[in-house]
Amino acid sequence: MAQIIKGDEIAKTITDKIKDEISNLDVKPKLAVVLVGEDFASEAYVRGKVKAGKRVGIEVDIVRFEQEVSEEKVIDVIKQLNSDEKVDGIIVQLPLPEHFDVAKIVNEISVEKDVDGFTYYNAGRLFRGNPLLSPCTPQGAMYMLEAMNVEISGKHAVVVGRSNLVGQPLARMLTAADATVTLCHSKTKNLKNITSQADILIVAIGQSRYITADYVKEGAIILDVGISRDEHNKLSGDVDFDNVFDKVSMISPVPKGVGPLTVAMLLHNTLKAYKGELCG
Ligand code: GUN
């Protein structure tokens, strides 16, 4: 029987601290969210960010564009937000419509306001072991392991999924924490063979309940970063929770797992940007 990692409770310990700190500030931090088009999931994520911001005292402004807007228009607005002293953090909600060059847009964000940590500059800093602002989901996953007192050093951590937003930065963070890291992806051969050697298995592939008991080692620690809807429109993760539950020692559920920590880390990064704690 596994211990269930309560992401919502861990996130609350972070956001309570942020709320306390902000209550002593005269000028409140401000986050700008650039939202293009009407992606259903993005709308829900952004609503969550606004609500979480409200709870801690961070003002979240949504800058909306219709689906057909040009890249130039969005870039103009990002430039205005960069030079607006009242704005501490800027994120561009992904995905963007297909006619957008995502890297071109994201790299317009000033590095000190890049609270998603998606610019090449911030990615480079992370990969050279001197991070400034780091991506929120991998940061949240690392925080979760720390909160659960998981010893990382010397452990075999397997990450499934090599996205720029999650898998790759997470593999880098685990390496920095002295894990031996294997990064698996859609072309990996004998995936089961590798994942079943993992002391810590983190899955971020967006495929509902892909990881079953035969993919995991007895007593492994599992973080499930995936979120999708199953055939009954129910939220589900990349791990078949019920199927692996008796075999593993610890597992994060979906929902109320890594998700709340992503939002908590966004607020954390925004406060950090506000305070200008971005030395180096
Ligand atoms: N889309 C899905 N997750 C994220 C995220 O963490 N940040 C942004 N900007 N877009 C996303």
Side-chain angles (χ1 to χ4, degrees):
M1 263 247 304
Q3 186 179 2
I4 299 175
I5 306 173
K6 296 190 169 121
D8 51 346
E9 290 179 11
I10 298 170
K12 191 167 179 298
T13 64
I14 303 168
T15 52
D16 281 350
K17 261 192 236 152
I18 294 173
K19 186 179 173 185
D20 262 7
E21 195 172 337
I22 291 176
S23 68
N24 296 315
L25 301 173
D26 292 333
V27 181
K28 303 299 179 200
K30 185 164 167 173
L31 169 68
V33 179
V34 175
L35 181 58
V36 183
E38 283 174 16
D39 183 76
F40 186 75
S42 290
E43 293 279 346
Y45 287 137
V46 169
R47 267 199 307 277
K49 290 169 187 179
V50 172
K51 192 173 157 201
K54 206 170 252 174
R55 203 180 81 76
V56 301
I58 291 178
E59 189 185 333
V60 182
D61 278 4
I62 306 175
V63 185
R64 280 180 183 276
F65 294 98
E66 77 265 17
Q67 179 87 7
E68 295 74 25
V69 69
S70 67
E71 286 186 330
E72 289 67 33
K73 262 212 173 122
V74 175
I75 288 171
D76 275 352
V77 167
I78 291 174
K79 283 181 173 159
Q80 282 169 32
L81 295 168
N82 283 340
S83 54
D84 185 341
E85 282 179 14
K86 292 195 192 85
V87 173
D88 303 289
I90 304 166
I91 67 168
V92 175
Q93 189 65 30
L94 302 178
L96 285 169
E98 282 195 352
H99 64 282
F100 275 82
D101 176 342
V102 175
K104 181 176 155 193
I105 302 288
V106 165
N107 281 303
E108 288 293 337
I109 299 173
S110 145
V111 296
E112 298 87 8
K113 297 189 180 187
D114 171 29
V115 288
D116 253 339
F118 288 171
T119 58
Y120 285 169
Y121 179 85
N122 278 315
R125 294 272 306 233
L126 173 65
F127 276 80
R128 290 298 290 265
N130 186 16
L132 188 71
L133 287 163
S134 298
C136 302
T137 299
Q139 222 186 140
M142 293 303 289
Y143 191 94
M144 189 174 246
L145 293 174
E146 196 185 312
M148 297 305 290
N149 295 314
V150 172
E151 198 184 317
I152 300 173
S153 178
K155 295 286 162 60
H156 185 197
V158 174
V159 178
V160 188
R162 58 175 157 181
S163 70
N164 290 326
L165 274 55
V166 182
Q168 294 197 53
L170 185 54
R172 183 62 186 83
M173 289 176 189
L174 288 160
T175 306
D178 297 327
T180 302
V181 180
T182 307
L183 180 56
C184 301
H185 46 78
S186 53
K187 300 286 189 295
T188 296
K189 293 201 168 68
N190 300 320
L191 179 65
K192 212 178 268 189
N193 215 349
I194 299 168
T195 55
S196 56
Q197 294 173 47
D199 302 310
I200 302 168
L201 175 63
I202 311 187
V203 194
I205 51 176
Q207 296 207 40
S208 182
R209 301 195 187 100
Y210 188 88
I211 300 292
T212 45
D214 47 340
Y215 281 80
V216 304
K217 181 162 102 173
E218 189 91 39
I221 293 159
I222 316 283
L223 299 194
D224 188 348
V225 183
I227 184 154
S228 38
R229 289 196 181 268
D230 68 9
E231 63 279 17
H232 308 294
N233 207 30
K234 191 175 164 229
L235 285 179
S236 64
D238 291 342
V239 179
D240 189 336
F241 186 92
D242 295 337
N243 193 258
V244 306
F245 190 71
D246 288 331
K247 194 170 179 187
V248 303
S249 65
M250 230 184 248
I251 181 166
S252 74
V254 176
K256 296 188 180 173
V258 178
L261 279 150
T262 297
V263 180
M265 288 302 158
L266 178 64
L267 304 175
H268 166 84
N269 279 353
T270 304
L271 181 56
K272 188 171 165 183
Y274 169 95
K275 292 194 286 188
E277 285 174 359
L278 305 169
C279 57

